Structures are given as C-alpha cells and as structure tokens.
Amino acid sequence: MKKNLLSVAVAATIMVPALPAFSQSDAEMVEEVVVTGSRIERANDVSVSPVTSVSAEDLKATGVVRVEDLINDLPQVAATQTAGQANGSTGTATVSLRGLGSQRTLVLIDGRRMPAGSPLAGGSGADLNQIPGALVERVEVLTGGSSATYGSDAIAGVVNFIMMDDFEGVRFESQTSVYQHNNNNSDMQGLVTSNGFDVADGSVTDGETNDFSMIIGANLDGGRGNVTAYANYRKIDAVLQADRDYSGCAVSGSPDSFGCGGSSTVPWGRFTDFGANDGDTTEGFDYSVDGTEFTDFSRLYNYGPLNYFQRPDERWTMGAFGHYEINEHAEAYTQVMYADDRTVAQIAPSGAFFVTNDLFCGNPFLSDDQYDAICGVYGLGKDQFVSDLEVVNTDPETGEVTTNPGALYIGRRNVEGGPRQSDMRHTTFRGVFGVRGDINENWAYDVYGQFSEVSLEETYLNDMSKSRIRRALDVRTDADGNPVCQSVLDGSDPNCVPWNIFQEGGVTQEAIDYLVLPLFARGTTDQEIISGYVTGDLTDYGVKLPTADSGVAIVAGFESRRESLNYSPDSGYQNDEGAGQGGPTLPVDGALSVKEIFTEANIPLLSGMPGAEYLGLEVAYRYSDYSTDAQTDTYKLAADWQPTTDLKVRASFQSAVRHANIRELYRAQSIGLFDMTYDPCGSRTDDDGVEIGPEYSAAECANTGTTASTYGGNFDSPAGQYNFVGGGNPELTPEESETVSFGIVYSPEFVEGLTVSADYFNIEVTEAIAGINPETVLRRCAETGNALFCDSVSRGANGNLWIGTAGITATDVNIGFFETEGIDINANYGFDVGAYGSVDMNYIATYLTKWDQQEFVGEPVESCAGNWNSSCGTPTPEYVSTLRATWATPWNVDVTGSWRYIGEVTDLGSNGADFDAISYFDLAAAWSATDNVTIRSGISNLLDEEPPLTADAGAGIYGNGNTFPGVYDALGRYAFLGASVNF
C-alpha cells in the first residue's frame, strides 16, 4: 500500500497516544526509544501512562504557524495566553493542561525544561513562540503529574517537543495564510448602528501571516555525527475588533437583550461627584460637555473597536543542533537556539480615569453656564475650589450629623492621543551542551549543562501622566489674560500646558504632547541546569524474575537547577504615574535554586504466559531540596498488563508537587484590576428602567464598608473592572497533587488497522497557590462579617471599589483545591480502498466528568465542568473531540477533512450567556508535485462559524472581543497556501 506525504503522518495517527508493544519478542527488531514520562528506554514505544503524540506533519496539514494553535485544539488543553489577547497580554503563548494553569504545565524540549516565558506578571509559563515549528519532529503530551521524572511544575502534566536533529540536505518552506469572514450578523449590526457607532459589513479578508523557514543539515565524518541548522521568519498582521461586526462594541447584558456597554471615561468628558455632594441641602451632578456647556451624562464610550483581535507579531528564530560520536563510549551533543519575538498589544486610548477629585472654580476654560452648574449652584466663588463645599448629612434614624468636603471627579478619554500600545519584545537564548554514550552493553549515561535567558523590552505608548493631568487641569489666568497652569505660575512645573476639556475641539497638540507619558520596563529570566543520569539493564546481572524474559531496568540521576528573575519597570510604572495602568507596577528581583536526586525502575513481572503476554511495574522517586528550606518527595507507581497480543491494560498513581515560582514568592503588593459584573451592595437600572439591587441588606453591606448614605448607590464600575491589591508571599509552601489513571489499549486482530484506547484520569491538587477571588472576599465579608474578609475591603468615599485606592486585598496564599477527572478516548483506523488509495481516520475526545475547585477550606466546592464565568472563568466544556480523516489518493494528492466539536457550557454569571455546542469543519490537501516539491492548501472553519458572544469575556479569563479567542475560532475562516522544497 503506497502512502505519500500526508498519509504517512496520518496513518501514524494525527493525535494518538503512544501505543504499547504487543509482543516482547519483537524488541530486537526495533530501536529502543525514550517516551515522555520516563527516562528508561523501551522497545516499540511502550508507554505505561497515556501519551498523546502530534507529528510534524500535523502542523503542515492544519496550516497553523503558531504552535499554540495546534496544541490548543487538543481536548486536554485549555487556552491561556494566545495571539488573540490584547488587554492583559504578556506577549507570549502558553499551554495549560487540563485547565489547571500554565504554571502547572511543564514544557520540555527533548526532555529538558524550557525557561519561564517572560518576567512580566503572568509570564511564568513557557513561551511556545520560542519553538521553531519547522524543526519539530513530534509533540508528546502526557497529562497528570510527572514530577518524579521531571521535577516541579508537572502537576497537570508535560508537553515535550521532540526536535529533528539528523536532517540531511536543504529544505525551504513557505506559507501564507489569511482570515476571511462575512460580516452578516444583522442583530449585532443593528445594535451597533443604533448606538451611533460604525460597524463592519460585508466580506473582509485580513490577518495575513507569512512564514518562511530554511533547514540545512549534513552528516559528519562518515555518519559519526550530524549538524542541523535552521532559520525562520514569521510576520503576522493585526486584526482590529472593529473589523468584525460581532465585536463592533463591547456588549452588555444578556444575549437575548444585548446592549452596547463601554466606559464612562468618555471623549466628551464625564464630570460627576459620584454622589459625594448629596446632602441635606445639596444635590450631586453628572454631566458631559456639549459644545461649551454641560449636558446630562448618558452615553458610554465604545472602547472595543480599537482593541486588537489578533496582535501583530514579528518573529525570528534560528539555531543549530549537533551531535558527534567521539568514540564508542561518548557522543557530544549540543542545541543552540535563539528567538526574537516582537508583538504589540493595543487597547483603547488612555485618559483621566477619575484621577482627580477637585477643580478650581475660576478655571478660565469653564463657560459661565458650566461654572454655575458645578460651583455657582453651591454658592462657591471663582476663587474657590469644589472641595470648599461643605456637604452635611443627617442620619434620619440616629440624628447623627456628618460633614464631608465636596468633590468633582473627571473622566475624559484622550482620543486625540491615539490608542494605548504595549510594545513587547522577548529575546531568548538557550544552549545545551552534553555528552552521552554507552558505558558497556548494559549501562549508558547522559550528562549535560543548560543555560537559558529571556530578555524583555517593553515600551508602553500613549498612556497619560496622572500628575500632569492634575497640573494641566489646575488652570488660572496670567497677567495677559491667557490660560496658564498654576504650576507654571508657581514654578513647580514650567513645562505644563493647560488641558481644555471643557469645550468641544479645545484640546491642543501641545497639551497632548505634555500629558502623554511613555512607560518602559526591562527584565530577564535566567535558568541554569546541570543534570545527569545513568540507565542500566540488570538482566545480565541476574536481577530478574524467573517468570519474566527480561530483567529490571533502572535510572539514577541528579539535577541542580537555578532560576532567577529580574523585572525593572521605570519610575512612571512604579509610582503609579500611568493613568491607564490600574495601579503601580513594581519591580521583582529574586532567585530560586534546587538540588535533586531521582531514580526510576522498570520491573518485568511476567512475560510470555497465558493471560500475561507481559506484566510489569514502573516506579519512580525524586527528592528535592530548595533554597527556600523546602524539601519535597515525589513518586510514581505504575503497572501495565498485556493479557493478549491485542489488549493492554495500564494504571498509574503519581504524587507531584509544584514549588512557588519567583513572582509568587517575591513580588511586592500592588493594585491591579479584577472583573466583577456589579457591586452587590449597589443598585443599577436595567434596560427597561427598572432599578435592581442591592443584593445584600444594609446590615450586610455595612460589613463591607457602606454607610446609610452610600448603601444602594450607583457605584458600579461601567467597565466591570474593580481594584484589588495582590502580591507575593515568601512563606508559600509547595503545592501537592495526586494523579490516578487507568485505561486500555485495544487493537483487535480481526480488524486490521484499528486501535482504540480509553483512559480514565483523576487529578487532585491541594495547597494550591492562589489569591482568594476578590469578589469572594467581598461576598463572604457581607455574609459573615468575619474580619478575615472584611479587613480586606476598603471602599471609597461614595462606597465604590474602583476609584483611586479603593479596592480589595487578595494576596497569594496556600488555600486552593482543584480536582478534575474524566475519560480520554482515542480511536485510529486505516484501510485500503483498492485502486483509489487508502484512508486513515482518527478520533480523539475528552469527556470531563468533574472539574471542581474550592477557594479555601470551608468555602463550597464549585463545579466548573460544563460551566464558565463566576469563579470558573474560561469555558470548560464537558465534551471536546476531533474526528479527522485523510484520503491518500493514487494521484499524489492527500485530502484531509476534520470535524472539531466543542460542547455546550452554562454561564454561572448573572447574564445567562449559555454557549451552545459548536462544530468546526476543516478541509486541506497536499500535492506532491515532484519528488522534491510539495504544495499544501486548506481552509479551517470552512463554514465561517461565528464564536459565541457574551458581555463577560473579561481579559482576566483570557477573553477578548466579546468572546474567547483561544477556545473558539474568533476570526472566521482560516485559509492557507504553502510549499516545501527539498534540495
């Protein structure tokens, strides 16, 4: 049966577990290999734990040039940082196995760990942008703890990239791809236009990606060695949310009654007291600018369209892999890898996000009507400030009188200055230098040193300076009658330029140039590893059971690892000077080291017997001693039983740990933002004009800091983002987990070409490192009045939790609990179709029966399987699958069709955005034009399915553009055309 380019890959399976050897007697016929999850070499790719394998040809068959796009299609993987992130992006691409977080997934290159992807917050996961796709031979994914084999961070499992290091010749590969979408969502188009916004319409083609790779390889000295070198260039164009009708505005409310939400920091300005001026004899105000006068505030700013739906990205990777046999006992090898990746995350313009609470009544930019509206109405003169107002409130029940100063808050979007852009450049070097070889016929060794460094250069453009905003709004009249900053008159800032936001068209370029503040940050992550091990087969020493054909195989080794992180933001970041940052960004500087010893053993118990073609045990143990004075023990116990030649049964138990990373240990406490739909102690008006809330009673809300005058006020954040104080904790202890798995692999002799596997898994994580969800802190404070929670809530003057320093404290602690379980299914079937070639089919699926979490002891256990939102965050469907078939035609053309299925999920939030199940259909073909030239083309999401929409796809849970780009195909059809040429 002849197979050509794609069928070779698909016949081996598109995404399949590593399968067992069905006959121990065949061991001499094949090369022994190392399978992810163990360092013991085995014949015929034996794997006690289920390992999913993705081949190099899968990258070509699907047309993806971003490795994370392929990995995220695996049912075991939950999307985290992707190219679809704008707000909150780290500029990296990460992988999260079983949805347990990228920090709990260990990523390897040829069995050796990758460094932290970025020194930025959220950057602890390995960056898949460092992986040269053209050099990937296959990817092996093992889910469930593997700390005994690889050390810390493997709680959710391991992703191991196996690289090609024996290439001969020259290969050039090129591919161009684009997205195409038909903007015909009439509901969203009507919604956006009815709110006065522009909306995309008709067909659009964008997001072009161009990828070029070259590989050069040669054998050395008659085949004693090989050097393989590579270079790759990739350029990805941006896509704006404005380019899709379903992201034409930031939606609000429920799917059956979407509205266009947005921010109250508007280009026409919002001038309000937020209720601070409501008193016995005074009333508050809420205005916007209309010409040179004030009008009642009503419209929100549509911040969505300028956000990137796909970030622009430019990447260079290059390097070389080499190995040379010095003699029969020593082979020197090296891997030298370099990557330079630059991307830009763009969000809406910055502005004055209510960073001032006062105004001089004599500001010359105020018209007479404006002066009367905010000062004259209170009897304040033009030589006074709004804060000179005395607001008196008398409690109607107690008669207690309180007095507070008046206030005026200004929210004004700097649309004249352009959108904010975080320009992030990560430059990575990774070098591995080692020696391996056979000591004798029974013993082998491998010793290596590895050094990795990731350097970050970040420049944040078009933000505004808080202190300059204050000075530019504090305006007087000079001796010539011209508006001038008070800071110019008193000499404290002679460069100040007045900011006229009190009349349309009043902002000057000089004012923008003065107010805009670029921010800079630099940082590095370093990793140094010295490791080595010996592996031996003890059969010839008589260490074997009489019931087995082979003896015990063992591994013993050591590893010394040191990691350091330095993140150095400039003074503007550190001093909370950036108006659009949500809080100060503080430096981090720390290091962590560990010394470890580990061992493994494979113990054959039975072989070649009725009912036991093979039965064996696999055990592993690792002891780790950290520089934080923490010591950990991890272990694995596994068994595989082959009762007949076509059936294998396997089971394992693994205890794994994760030590806190440097940011979790040493980052300083600072203010950040979290997503919350509404403040449960406030009230709001729905689309029908009905007032809703508060959710809690006055007494319960008093626990959270509201008063009789602020209870039930309208202090929701229009953007749905609230302040919290987070930070590290040097007293953190390692997380612990236990993984149980068992399953079968069945390849019936009576159905040639069929292999089916089913594996049950259960992963339980305790003492998980996390901060309590700030919303949980708020609600538990209201419900219990416990000082543990209430001392962490600090409300502002009008009861808000989002203006200034108001917010909730939630630092990292060892409190979390996660448990997930389910069944992985994989089926592969290949068959001939006579003169028409052959067909290879693959079905891979995960059925999730449990994904539970508990934020801390005493808190209810929350079920996230089949749910999303609230504390569950990103969608976690119960069922995800891919069915793929490849027809290898007799005309040198291979055709591949795929059906990707994502199950429904239920919204746990208040908006009821339940997502229906969605199916994607893909079609691709590869033509072997000549022996040296192959042309590939295809379309993913053939039917241009739109992603599900919601108002709650916050950046904190990897949402963007009213959806989840890492989970769903957010941009429409993906079409690609590529070619490979071998010389």
Side-chain angles (χ1 to χ4, degrees), residues 738-956:
E738 294 181 350
T739 298
V740 174
S741 69
F742 57 83
I744 62 169
V745 180
Y746 185 46
S747 184
E749 293 182 352
F750 57 86
V751 183
E752 183 181 355
L754 174 65
T755 299
V756 180
S757 70
D759 290 275
Y760 164 86
F761 65 88
N762 178 278
I763 305 173
E764 184 177 298
V765 184
T766 57
E767 300 296 317
I769 298 169
I772 301 177
N773 186 300
E775 183 175 356
T776 300
V777 173
L778 178 65
R779 290 183 175 277
R780 295 302 169 264
C781 169
E783 294 164 1
T784 68
N786 189 329
L788 174 67
F789 305 110
C790 295
D791 288 350
S792 299
V793 181
S794 177
R795 290 189 178 273
N798 72 324
N800 76 86
L801 289 168
W802 59 282
I803 300 173
T805 59
I808 298 170
T809 299
T811 56
D812 290 345
V813 286
N814 285 101
I815 55 168
F817 168 82
F818 305 103
E819 183 179 8
T820 179
E821 72 173 17
I823 298 173
D824 290 330
I825 301 171
N826 198 294
N828 303 278
Y829 184 43
F831 55 93
D832 291 329
V833 286
Y836 296 100
S838 62
V839 174
D840 293 287
M841 303 181 68
N842 166 247
Y843 172 74
I844 181 171
T846 293
Y847 178 67
L848 200 63
T849 58
K850 179 185 293 186
W851 207 109
D852 290 350
Q853 65 179 12
Q854 184 183 38
E855 289 196 77
F856 51 89
V857 176
E859 182 74 1
V861 174
E862 300 162 295
S863 175
C864 295
N867 298 317
W868 80 277
N869 210 348
S870 187
S871 59
C872 290
T874 307
T876 308
E878 291 182 340
Y879 182 71
V880 180
S881 67
T882 297
L883 174 64
R884 186 169 299 180
T886 293
W887 175 28
T889 75
W891 308 289
N892 295 327
V893 176
D894 295 343
V895 180
T896 300
S898 301
W899 171 29
R900 293 178 285 130
Y901 179 86
I902 302 172
E904 68 273 9
V905 287
T906 301
D907 183 7
L908 299 182
S910 60
N911 284 321
D914 299 339
F915 297 163
D916 292 335
I918 190 167
S919 292
Y920 296 111
F921 296 95
D922 310 329
L923 185 64
W927 173 42
S928 297
T930 70
D931 290 341
N932 299 321
V933 178
T934 301
I935 309 297
R936 299 179 303 276
S937 184
I939 300 176
S940 298
N941 189 8
L942 193 63
L943 301 181
D944 191 21
E945 291 285 346
E946 290 188 1
L949 304 180
T950 175
D952 297 326

Side-chain angles (χ1 to χ4, degrees), residues 279-345:
D280 294 345
T281 60
T282 55
E283 293 182 356
F285 55 83
D286 199 358
Y287 298 128
S288 288
V289 169
D290 183 7
T292 59
E293 299 182 357
F294 282 143
T295 186
D296 288 338
F297 171 78
S298 59
R299 291 186 297 150
L300 298 176
Y301 171 65
N302 183 19
Y303 58 79
L306 288 177
N307 287 25
Y308 280 149
F309 222 153
Q310 173 177 273
R311 297 193 317 274
D313 182 275
E314 189 171 19
R315 186 194 72 171
W316 287 92
T317 61
M318 59 189 68
F321 298 166
H323 55 88
Y324 182 79
E325 185 180 338
I326 300 171
N327 57 45
E328 62 180 356
H329 299 297
E331 180 185 52
Y333 64 91
T334 185
Q335 292 183 343
V336 179
M337 303 173 66
Y338 171 84
D340 180 55
D341 185 79
R342 183 178 181 183
T343 187
V344 176

Side-chain angles (χ1 to χ4, degrees), residues 495-823:
N495 297 315
C496 179
V497 178
W499 191 28
N500 182 7
I501 59 174
F502 301 94
Q503 57 185 267
E504 294 180 9
V507 176
T508 65
Q509 186 61 48
E510 292 77 13
I512 296 171
D513 294 341
Y514 169 73
L515 290 166
V516 168
L517 175 73
L519 301 167
F520 304 94
R522 300 293 182 265
T524 58
T525 67
D526 291 292
Q527 181 190 77
E528 301 169 11
I529 299 175
I530 301 295
S531 183
Y533 62 89
V534 294
T535 178
D537 184 343
L538 304 183
T539 303
D540 290 348
Y541 300 95
V543 184
K544 64 182 286 293
L545 294 174
T547 52
D549 292 339
S550 57
V552 175
I554 64 169
V555 167
F558 70 92
E559 183 165 302
S560 174
R561 184 173 73 252
R562 183 181 186 276
E563 297 176 342
S564 62
L565 182 149
N566 176 270
Y567 175 67
S568 301
D570 69 357
S571 60
Y573 266 130
Q574 295 188 45
N575 297 332
D576 193 19
E577 188 63 18
Q581 296 302 305
T585 302
L586 302 180
V588 182
D589 190 13
L592 177 68
S593 62
V594 60
K595 291 180 171 57
E596 301 176 300
I597 57 172
F598 57 87
T599 185
E600 293 183 59
N602 184 43
I603 308 170
L605 301 177
L606 299 172
S607 57
M609 296 184 178
E613 291 289 330
Y614 179 78
L615 174 65
L617 293 178
E618 185 179 284
V619 295
Y621 172 78
R622 178 179 290 252
Y623 172 78
S624 306
D625 186 5
Y626 289 88
S627 56
T628 57
D629 292 331
Q631 292 85 37
T632 62
D633 298 273
T634 60
Y635 57 91
K636 174 176 71 172
L637 177 63
D640 59 310
W641 171 40
Q642 191 177 325
T644 64
T645 56
D646 54 6
L647 178 65
K648 178 188 178 91
V649 180
R650 55 192 176 190
S652 67
F653 174 83
Q654 301 193 54
S655 172
V657 298
R658 184 181 78 88
H659 192 283
N661 61 46
I662 295 172
R663 273 193 162 272
E664 289 168 334
L665 289 170
Y666 302 123
R667 79 185 189 280
Q669 294 186 8
S670 61
I671 291 180
L673 299 174
F674 74 97
D675 297 320
M676 184 168 64
T677 305
Y678 59 84
D679 191 319
C681 288
S683 62
R684 60 215 58 85
T685 303
D686 66 13
D687 295 337
D688 298 323
V690 178
E691 185 171 302
I692 303 173
E695 184 176 333
Y696 292 118
S697 68
E700 288 173 319
C701 287
N703 293 333
T704 75
T706 63
T707 64
S709 60
T710 61
Y711 172 67
N714 183 8
F715 40 71
D716 288 345
S717 166
Q721 293 183 313
Y722 298 79
N723 293 338
F724 83 102
V725 176
N729 180 357
E731 302 301 318
L732 291 171
T733 59
E735 297 179 345
E736 300 177 0
S737 78
E738 294 181 350
T739 298
V740 174
S741 69
F742 57 83
I744 62 169
V745 180
Y746 185 46
S747 184
E749 293 182 352
F750 57 86
V751 183
E752 183 181 355
L754 174 65
T755 299
V756 180
S757 70
D759 290 275
Y760 164 86
F761 65 88
N762 178 278
I763 305 173
E764 184 177 298
V765 184
T766 57
E767 300 296 317
I769 298 169
I772 301 177
N773 186 300
E775 183 175 356
T776 300
V777 173
L778 178 65
R779 290 183 175 277
R780 295 302 169 264
C781 169
E783 294 164 1
T784 68
N786 189 329
L788 174 67
F789 305 110
C790 295
D791 288 350
S792 299
V793 181
S794 177
R795 290 189 178 273
N798 72 324
N800 76 86
L801 289 168
W802 59 282
I803 300 173
T805 59
I808 298 170
T809 299
T811 56
D812 290 345
V813 286
N814 285 101
I815 55 168
F817 168 82
F818 305 103
E819 183 179 8
T820 179
E821 72 173 17
I823 298 173

Side-chain angles (χ1 to χ4, degrees), residues 276-284 377-378 389-393:
N277 296 353
D278 288 328
D280 294 345
T281 60
T282 55
E283 293 182 356
V377 67
Y378 300 124
L389 170 67
E390 188 177 84
V391 181
V392 179
N393 278 286

